[in-house]
Amino acid sequence: MMRMKGGGMGGQDPVGSISITSDTNIPMRWLLANDKLAKLSSVAADSCEPEIHLHIKESRFQRRIKRWKRDARGELDARDWSRARFASLNFNIPDHLDTVARIDVDQVSYADFVVRFERDGVPAVLTGVVRDWDAQREWTPQRLLERFHGEKFKIGEDDDGDPVYVQFSYFMHYCLSGGAARDDSPLYIFDPNFGDRKRSNTAPTPLSPTDTFPPSKPTCEMLLDYKIPRYFRDDLFQYTGSRRPPHRWVVIGPERSGTGIHVDPLGTSAWNTLVFGHKRWALFPPTVPKHLVTMRGMPDHEAATWFVMVYPRLHDSSTIDASGKTLAERLGIIDIIQRPGETVFVPGGWHHLVINLDFTVGVTQNFCSVPNWENVWLKTRNSRPRMGKTVA
């Protein structure tokens, strides 16, 4: 199912340009200098947005990115990040493979959604969720860099379980010109605490004379840019107070970054809204044994590696049985190409993984609703008994 690169998602107009200048005085233009990146898209991209300039000291950036990579993925040698040459592959799939049901939240009632999808645990893609979100204009790369250039976001944990944070301006430089285009599975912002940081968490970014950035804003302001989709506002975990585990994340990353195959914790369901860019998903029903959707001997658990090593095996013609179906079809795989403005509903217990097809910005949240309360409570009672009592 892999093809060599032939351009980006296609059909999108540029949304302006970001110019980050290194101390070598070489201008690096994101959206205009690279044809594929020029096809980045958001729900409400504005081609008239002004250029943004930020000065990055290249030597300092190289030291920091080396440290972040070592801390976040200590199992990889610095030279291993592009060893597999996944950058030469196109991870997109034909539209006809995406057969998931799509519904407009303004045309399907909550009761109908529960009956058709949530009660029986059926994935779906929701449209119309972001119609009244400020994130449509505030979560473009330009605006994010303007607002949060000096803030730090979590990209992972080190071997001791301590969080690894990157300064956003450096992360954007990494995405634009600092190696993300070569890395097999680039660094990825997956931050559960963005809504809790009520003050700027770093000193103001040193600006060059041409920079016009105001002081960066605390990341909690991102909470004002979106609303929980109406189907998912009755979240029983909101009554657990301080015992509630991490449940919401802002997710920002370049092409080929993503999350490996997993099942969301405690039987919770999830919604994932994409504001900018495109994502590819693969989902498997809860009845599928884990060993059938993984592979022994994989070098890592990254989504890009899975789509290269496991996905073709599941679709191989040698797996076709008497019914004429491949192993993937018998397992009930669901392929999704998520577009700007779409929200993926992932029912509890479903195996899933996600890879970014270009630069993406989104938000996701796990929840416990009345239809999935019994499953969540049973899992919570066993693994987190004190929190289980508050849910009960």
Side-chain angles (χ1 to χ4, degrees):
M1 301 299 293
M2 291 295 170
R3 304 188 303 277
M4 300 302 291
K5 277 187 181 294
M9 293 302 300
Q12 302 294 339
D13 295 326
V15 295
S17 71
I18 298 175
S19 178
I20 293 185
T21 306
S22 72
D23 55 357
T24 58
N25 295 318
I26 300 175
M28 292 166 282
R29 300 183 184 277
W30 188 4
L31 302 182
L32 301 184
N34 183 302
D35 179 67
K36 186 164 75 66
L37 290 178
K39 294 177 172 60
L40 289 173
S41 60
S42 68
V43 182
D46 181 1
S47 61
C48 297
E49 289 190 42
E51 237 180 50
I52 294 174
H53 298 272
L54 183 66
H55 186 79
I56 294 291
K57 187 173 179 62
E58 188 66 22
S59 59
R60 180 182 299 169
F61 165 77
Q62 292 297 338
R63 290 195 301 270
R64 292 188 178 187
I65 197 66
K66 184 177 181 179
R67 184 179 74 245
W68 292 328
K69 285 184 173 182
R70 181 193 65 227
D71 291 346
R73 298 184 196 162
E75 73 279 6
L76 289 179
D77 182 272
R79 295 166 295 181
D80 289 342
W81 280 70
S82 58
R83 173 176 291 182
R85 300 185 179 182
F86 289 164
S88 66
L89 301 176
N90 184 349
F91 287 83
N92 200 6
I93 56 174
D95 289 342
H96 70 83
L97 293 179
D98 180 352
T99 59
V100 70
R102 281 176 162 80
I103 61 170
D104 190 312
V105 293
D106 291 333
Q107 298 179 11
V108 178
S109 69
Y110 170 69
D112 286 344
F113 172 78
V114 170
V115 171
R116 293 173 58 186
F117 302 101
E118 191 170 18
R119 185 179 62 188
D120 295 327
V122 179
V125 171
L126 317 179
T127 62
V129 167
V130 303
R131 286 193 179 106
D132 59 349
W133 283 19
D134 291 342
Q136 290 188 87
R137 64 175 184 276
E138 295 294 335
W139 288 15
T140 64
Q142 292 88 340
R143 284 295 294 149
L144 289 174
L145 192 56
E146 275 187 339
R147 296 169 67 192
F148 306 115
H149 56 89
E151 300 309 296
K152 294 180 179 179
F153 289 85
K154 183 179 177 180
I155 57 168
E157 296 180 348
D158 62 21
D159 292 341
D160 297 322
D162 296 323
V164 179
Y165 289 94
V166 300
Q167 185 169 309
F168 192 63
S169 58
Y170 284 90
F171 180 78
M172 293 296 283
H173 182 54
Y174 165 72
C175 293
L176 276 57
S177 57
R182 298 183 300 273
D183 289 346
D184 294 327
S185 180
L187 295 172
Y188 188 30
I189 288 176
F190 206 93
D191 193 331
N193 305 121
F194 74 96
D196 302 326
R197 295 192 290 269
K198 295 179 172 56
R199 293 188 297 177
S200 297
N201 60 7
T202 187
T205 303
L207 304 179
S208 70
T210 60
D211 289 328
T212 57
F213 279 69
S216 62
K217 304 292 186 180
T219 58
C220 69
E221 290 194 2
M222 299 182 82
L223 293 175
L224 303 176
D225 297 334
Y226 72 93
K227 302 174 183 178
I228 296 175
R230 66 187 186 94
Y231 295 155
F232 314 123
R233 291 172 186 166
D234 187 17
D235 184 357
L236 300 180
F237 266 6
Q238 65 184 302
Y239 303 112
T240 61
S242 61
R243 297 189 186 279
R244 181 171 191 168
H247 64 285
R248 65 186 174 207
W249 295 263
V250 63
V251 287
I252 306 172
E255 182 179 0
R256 292 184 308 285
S257 60
T259 53
I261 193 160
H262 64 284
V263 174
D264 287 333
L266 303 178
T268 55
S269 299
W271 57 268
N272 184 306
T273 299
L274 184 60
V275 177
F276 196 97
H278 301 78
K279 294 178 182 283
R280 176 184 173 186
W281 294 67
L283 301 91
F284 297 89
T287 54
V288 174
K290 181 179 179 181
H291 74 272
L292 291 180
V293 293
T294 57
M295 177 186 289
R296 289 185 179 181
M298 288 180 61
D300 55 56
H301 299 288
E302 301 298 315
T305 304
W306 188 94
F307 278 112
V308 170
M309 298 184 67
V310 180
Y311 188 86
R313 177 175 65 91
L314 298 176
H315 286 270
D316 192 88
S317 59
S318 65
T319 67
I320 297 176
D321 67 356
S323 68
K325 294 182 178 180
T326 63
L327 178 57
E329 293 170 323
R330 298 198 302 275
L331 294 178
I333 189 173
I334 293 179
D335 290 295
I336 298 175
I337 296 296
Q338 185 182 14
R339 298 169 177 83
E342 293 186 334
T343 298
V344 175
F345 165 61
V346 182
W350 278 70
H351 308 269
H352 59 282
L353 71 159
V354 189
I355 188 170
N356 294 320
L357 298 176
D358 45 28
F359 186 87
T360 65
V361 182
V363 62
T364 183
Q365 183 163 324
N366 289 30
F367 65 94
C368 170
S369 60
V370 173
N372 73 335
W373 175 85
E374 184 175 357
N375 288 334
V376 173
W377 180 72
L378 289 173
K379 292 182 179 296
T380 303
R381 182 185 63 179
N382 293 328
S383 61
R384 303 190 64 148
R386 290 186 179 180
M387 192 178 78
K389 291 180 180 178
T390 63
V391 176

